[in-house]
Amino acid sequence: RAFRIISPPPKILRKKTKGYVVCYSSKCPQREHCLRWQAAHLVKPDERIVTCINLLRPDTTNGSCQDYRDNKPVRIPKGMIHFYDNMPGKLEREIKSSLIARFTRVGYYKLRNGERQITPQIEREIAEICSEHGWSQPLVFDEYTEELLW
């Protein structure tokens, strides 16, 4: 399977952060590694309105901010075209049905076709569903990328 690293140029980062909730907390101990704090520095000076985290919340300064987004890229699976290649047909149908029930038909096909990011949380949910149906083999995704979890 392919493994490629995605490292977006600043122009793409600016576009990605347009409308993104940013943070201007200079007291946060996690700020140096937080995407929201870094995104705040990409806001153009002529931007009239910016959506910002409420800095009056105690968690924004004590290191337990619920809006913290780590700036380290995470290994993300992408696409599920070959997901069922090694599964028996009956098990494939049961798992697919459960995945559609969990993510909706449209959501499932976006994950399957690589149009929607499979976050670590979604990957855990997929693994749980497979495990509930008795599938204990490693999950097979089409490729893996390294991406930021905005």
Side-chain angles (χ1 to χ4, degrees):
R1 303 276 177 236
F3 185 81
R4 60 190 163 101
I5 296 174
I6 295 176
S7 181
K11 185 177 179 180
I12 292 174
L13 284 177
R14 258 190 224 284
K15 185 177 180 183
K16 186 79 171 174
T17 59
K18 185 142 180 81
Y20 189 63
V21 177
V22 299
C23 180
Y24 291 102
S25 176
S26 59
K27 296 177 183 174
C28 178
Q30 297 177 311
R31 71 182 178 276
E32 296 293 329
H33 300 284
C34 183
L35 285 172
R36 296 191 187 283
W37 191 76
Q38 291 175 349
H41 295 84
L42 295 173
V43 174
K44 294 180 180 176
D46 61 344
E47 200 89 28
R48 266 185 12 99
I49 299 173
V50 177
T51 305
C52 179
I53 290 171
N54 178 1
L55 301 182
L56 298 176
R57 290 185 359 225
D59 68 326
T60 62
T61 56
N62 67 12
S64 64
C65 182
Q66 63 186 358
D67 293 305
Y68 171 78
R69 296 294 181 272
D70 200 326
N71 69 346
K72 291 183 188 121
V74 176
R75 187 174 186 244
I76 300 287
K78 185 175 181 182
M80 299 170 61
I81 301 294
H82 300 287
F83 189 76
Y84 305 104
D85 285 358
N86 299 320
M87 286 185 194
K90 182 177 188 252
L91 188 58
E92 173 187 343
R93 288 185 297 277
E94 291 172 357
I95 290 173
K96 182 177 178 180
S97 177
S98 292
L99 291 173
I100 289 171
R102 167 59 189 90
F103 298 107
T104 75
R105 183 168 298 282
V106 170
Y108 166 79
Y109 280 100
K110 285 185 176 188
L111 292 170
R112 179 188 176 275
N113 297 332
E115 298 167 16
R116 178 178 170 193
Q117 187 180 57
I118 300 174
T119 63
Q121 174 61 36
I122 291 173
E123 185 178 10
R124 280 191 294 277
E125 291 178 41
I126 291 170
E128 286 173 16
I129 288 169
C130 290
S131 179
E132 288 169 4
H133 287 282
W135 183 253
S136 58
Q137 300 297 315
L139 302 180
V140 177
F141 296 96
D142 298 339
E143 64 178 305
Y144 291 86
T145 61
E146 283 206 0
E147 298 181 32
L148 297 171
L149 293 179
W150 293 96

